[in-house]
Amino acid sequence: GDPKEDLMGRPVPELDTTALDPDYMLGTMRAFVREGLKSRPVARSVAVEHLERRLLRYHVHFDSHPTWSVIGKVYENPFAGQRSFNGMRRLWDGGFSFKPPVNVHIPQPYGYISHLRLLLMEEVPGRPLKTLVKRKLATVDDVRLYAVALAKLHRSATVPSVPFRVDDHLAIRCDGR
């Protein structure tokens, strides 16, 4: 098979090498420091780590503040990335992460860089359930927590800006976009 396809047959999005350039990303990260850290330290340098397929970790270094880790997720196209960012932002702004049960939360979205198709968000501990399931490592407790998370999402007052139906999902998954 094509090495640019994941296990589900979807193409891995091309990574713009600009997203790997520490100097370019330093300027970009400085714009997000104020929101992400709720303070005004000056970012001095950025180290970039390519984690997997379409995930990057940025280590933002400061003179007098602990290193800040930011996750970057590359999307197939600008529309998909913007849609994901907008959905995360609506959930975050609606208090999703702070409402009970508080052990179910989403990463704080910091921003979306359209020309890089790059969503920047908070790094959260743990491994995604999707990864655990694919690798057959998910426990009963993991699946129960997923059920709690899904119930919390359905109880949230957040309304998507554009309906996204099962047919939309299948069209994307089956089309390879």
Side-chain angles (χ1 to χ4, degrees), residues 50-102:
H50 194 169
L51 298 175
E52 60 182 65
R53 298 181 54 241
R54 59 188 197 158
L55 290 179
L56 305 168
R57 179 184 292 127
Y58 297 97
H59 301 278
V60 184
H61 303 282
F62 305 91
D63 285 338
S64 59
H65 195 280
T67 298
W68 182 46
S69 292
V70 176
I71 295 296
K73 183 174 183 180
V74 179
Y75 281 83
E76 301 85 12
N77 61 64
F79 173 76
Q82 188 67 58
R83 183 182 64 221
S84 185
F85 173 76
N86 291 346
M88 288 177 71
R89 175 57 74 189
R90 279 191 304 279
L91 284 169
W92 185 265
D93 290 348
F96 181 86
S97 291
F98 305 104
K99 294 178 180 173
V102 293

Side-chain angles (χ1 to χ4, degrees), residues 32-41 89 92 108 110:
F32 296 110
V33 165
R34 181 175 294 145
E35 179 179 353
L37 296 179
K38 305 291 187 229
S39 62
R40 296 182 182 179
R89 175 57 74 189
W92 185 265
Q108 179 179 359
Y110 296 134

Side-chain angles (χ1 to χ4, degrees), residues 10-11 19 29 31 46 51 76 92 100 104 108-110 113 126-127 130 132 148 164 167 172 175:
R10 293 179 71 189
M29 289 299 172
V46 172
L51 298 175
E76 301 85 12
W92 185 265
V104 173
Q108 179 179 359
Y110 296 134
I113 306 169
R127 296 190 348 200
K130 181 178 179 179
L132 295 173
V148 169
F164 191 72
D167 288 343
I172 290 170
D175 186 32

